[in-house]
Amino acid sequence: MNFKQLEYFSAVAEAGSISGASRTLHVAQPPVSRQLALLEDELGVTLFLRTNKGVELTEAGRCLWQQSRQMFQSLRTMADSVRDVDAGVRGQLKLGVIYSDVQIATSLLKRYHQQFPQVELYVRMGSPKDLLDDLERGELHMLFLRSQSERSYSLGERVLGVDPLELVMRLETDPAPGQEAVPIRALRDAPMCLLRSDDLWGYSRDLLEECRRAGFSPNVVCHCYDTPMEMQMVQAGFGVGFLPKSIVAAHPGSPVYTKPVLEFSAKSYPVLVWENSPYQVGCVTRFLELAEQDWEERQNRA
């Protein structure tokens, strides 16, 4: 029993005659009759009773027709699902997010989910290196990362905005109380919690170099392995951090706030990166289009 036999059988059952089925199928009558005979021989049953008016289904024929209709409906549903996945309406979108991009990632994901609620979202937070490894292995479709320039990855890339780097502090650790910005020399004796020297983004490295140009080495009381740990240390009052300004928005109700360094302007660029491929998953394409649209809307508002 094969697909063509079931297709011909169902056409005859619906038309009530071999001649009617042949017109529907655009096939001559002898091939239709031959496929029906082969199907009956294989199953060892009579599917149709031949009459002067055409054909009538036997009990066995009605059973096969009912199940064939269910099968063809399942095939149509399967085809529609495949087309929807290719179009990005359904499927799975697997994203990696670093801690400092949580705010922009969740904002985009919320908009995306409103437009494509049937797409399953898989979101993983991790270190840049681990996420890049997962992207290379094909375990993730896209990553929310950071860059200190507008072009820095050899992957497909979309800059999502500009985020100034600022000092992060509590009131009791503020090196310049009452001032809107912190003079670089005010950091001479301020305890600082900074990312380790081999941090991928180089935030701490650039600030340390600026302090040295000002004639001093800052008092780094804690070298943090990652951004979440630095934020925890700053919130606990260990010292002043140096991170993208938007991170504070991920901590509503926290006593932590930011100030720029008076003589030192630094920026960080949230970026969306993905593997360049001649064929891209539909839901990835739709997400990239949304990110592009979001960027243009924010540029127009600026």
Side-chain angles (χ1 to χ4, degrees), residues 27-80:
V27 176
Q29 292 187 41
V32 177
S33 297
R34 185 165 55 252
Q35 291 298 329
L36 290 180
L38 289 171
L39 182 58
E40 289 181 323
D41 287 344
E42 182 178 342
L43 294 176
V45 299
T46 300
L47 298 172
F48 292 103
L49 295 175
R50 276 68 176 176
T51 69
N52 293 334
K53 296 181 180 180
V55 295
E56 291 181 1
L57 286 166
T58 64
E59 193 65 31
R62 279 192 290 273
C63 177
L64 181 61
W65 187 36
Q66 182 180 27
Q67 295 189 54
S68 296
R69 292 172 67 184
Q70 293 173 352
M71 183 197 73
F72 284 121
Q73 180 58 47
S74 295
L75 288 172
R76 285 191 289 271
T77 301
M78 184 190 307
D80 289 342

Side-chain angles (χ1 to χ4, degrees), residues 29-150:
Q29 292 187 41
V32 177
S33 297
R34 185 165 55 252
Q35 291 298 329
L36 290 180
L38 289 171
L39 182 58
E40 289 181 323
D41 287 344
E42 182 178 342
L43 294 176
V45 299
T46 300
L47 298 172
F48 292 103
L49 295 175
R50 276 68 176 176
T51 69
N52 293 334
K53 296 181 180 180
V55 295
E56 291 181 1
L57 286 166
T58 64
E59 193 65 31
R62 279 192 290 273
C63 177
L64 181 61
W65 187 36
Q66 182 180 27
Q67 295 189 54
S68 296
R69 292 172 67 184
Q70 293 173 352
M71 183 197 73
F72 284 121
Q73 180 58 47
S74 295
L75 288 172
R76 285 191 289 271
T77 301
M78 184 190 307
D80 289 342
S81 295
V82 171
R83 294 188 188 100
D84 285 349
V85 168
D86 187 63
V89 178
R90 297 188 186 186
Q92 296 179 348
L93 181 60
K94 300 178 181 180
L95 298 162
V97 184
I98 60 170
Y99 179 81
S100 59
D101 279 347
V102 167
Q103 288 299 108
I104 192 168
T106 53
S107 175
L108 277 175
L109 284 170
K110 185 175 181 180
R111 288 187 62 180
Y112 178 81
H113 181 65
Q114 289 172 343
Q115 293 185 31
F116 305 102
Q118 292 181 295
V119 175
E120 294 180 273
L121 299 175
Y122 290 78
V123 185
R124 181 196 162 191
M125 187 181 294
S127 69
K129 181 182 183 306
D130 289 344
L131 295 179
L132 285 165
D133 288 344
D134 287 346
L135 181 69
E136 185 178 356
R137 287 193 295 265
E139 296 176 7
L140 295 172
H141 292 130
M142 291 183 290
L143 308 179
F144 285 87
L145 296 178
R146 287 271 168 168
S147 169
Q148 281 198 284
S149 66
E150 295 191 50

